[in-house]
Amino acid sequence: MREFAVLIPIVDGDGEEHIVLTERAAHLPRYAGQVSFPGGAREPGDATLLETALREAHEEIGLPHRLVDVVDELGWFETGLGDRVRPFVGRLREPCPLVPDRREVARILRVPLALIRDNPFRVRGTFIDARGRNRRIYAFRHDGLEIWGLTARILKSYFVEGAGRSADFAE
């Protein structure tokens, strides 16, 4: 089982808060063209999963670590393939240009937080996870793209259902 970490960046823009997501490049071997959070696999040099999330956000969208205030850490989420993902919620201290690394990211999306909190999610289908459990696949559309799977599940869990801070989050 591999461990991954993602950052859920919250930015202010045009008088409202937005979540930053990425559309993954079409040539990637896994999850090509899908919408995801900035993030990736833990590497040997990453002391913590938070370091993984911040490093990946910097690599993928040019987000400087020093501009992110991490305000929450969610518990583990499991992918359909059995990998474990740890999300971190971070607010940007100030506006900064975000630039996609074209090797990994086709484009950067900003989804209004109000839209997510209005619960736009629908059930797209179901799947059997790595532990044999039947799970719902949530989805919603924004900016011409379908946001679904683990990304939608994390957004729904945290911003709609109010899943709180994980027990091991240290401030």
Side-chain angles (χ1 to χ4, degrees):
M1 180 177 323
R2 296 175 55 196
E3 290 185 348
F4 294 80
V6 297
L7 184 66
I8 305 172
I10 301 174
V11 300
D12 290 322
D14 301 327
E16 66 179 324
E17 295 177 311
H18 293 82
I19 301 295
V20 175
L21 297 172
T22 65
E23 179 185 356
R24 293 174 51 82
H27 67 269
L28 293 174
R30 292 179 75 184
Y31 310 112
Q34 292 185 17
V35 176
S36 65
F37 299 106
R42 186 175 195 168
E43 293 183 357
D46 298 334
T48 66
L49 285 165
L50 175 57
E51 280 187 25
T52 301
L54 293 172
R55 174 185 52 75
E56 288 282 346
H58 183 259
E59 291 174 6
E60 292 178 9
I61 62 173
L63 180 58
H65 307 144
R66 63 180 169 69
L67 295 183
V68 179
D69 284 327
V70 176
V71 296
D72 216 347
E73 175 181 356
L74 284 64
W76 288 107
F77 284 78
E78 192 171 296
T79 70
L81 301 174
D83 293 325
R84 293 172 13 130
V85 178
R86 178 60 63 100
F88 295 86
V89 180
R91 291 188 174 277
L92 268 64
R93 290 187 194 129
E94 60 187 66
C96 72
L98 300 176
V99 180
D101 178 337
R102 296 291 179 199
R103 292 172 294 182
E104 297 184 60
V105 176
R107 71 173 160 151
I108 296 171
L109 299 137
R110 293 173 192 251
V111 180
L113 187 51
L115 170 69
I116 294 166
R117 287 192 170 133
D118 282 345
N119 196 8
F121 304 92
R122 63 177 170 72
V123 176
R124 180 181 189 217
T126 61
F127 72 98
I128 305 298
D129 71 13
R131 296 182 189 183
R133 296 174 297 190
N134 193 14
R135 305 291 298 262
R136 290 183 178 146
I137 301 169
Y138 293 103
F140 71 100
R141 294 197 65 79
H142 177 73
D143 200 15
L145 293 172
E146 186 172 47
I147 300 164
W148 65 283
L150 183 63
T151 302
R153 188 168 14 128
I154 291 170
L155 289 169
K156 183 174 182 7
S157 174
Y158 188 74
F159 293 105
V160 177
E161 297 169 355
R165 184 171 248 134
S166 72
D168 58 354
F169 181 65
E171 294 189 77

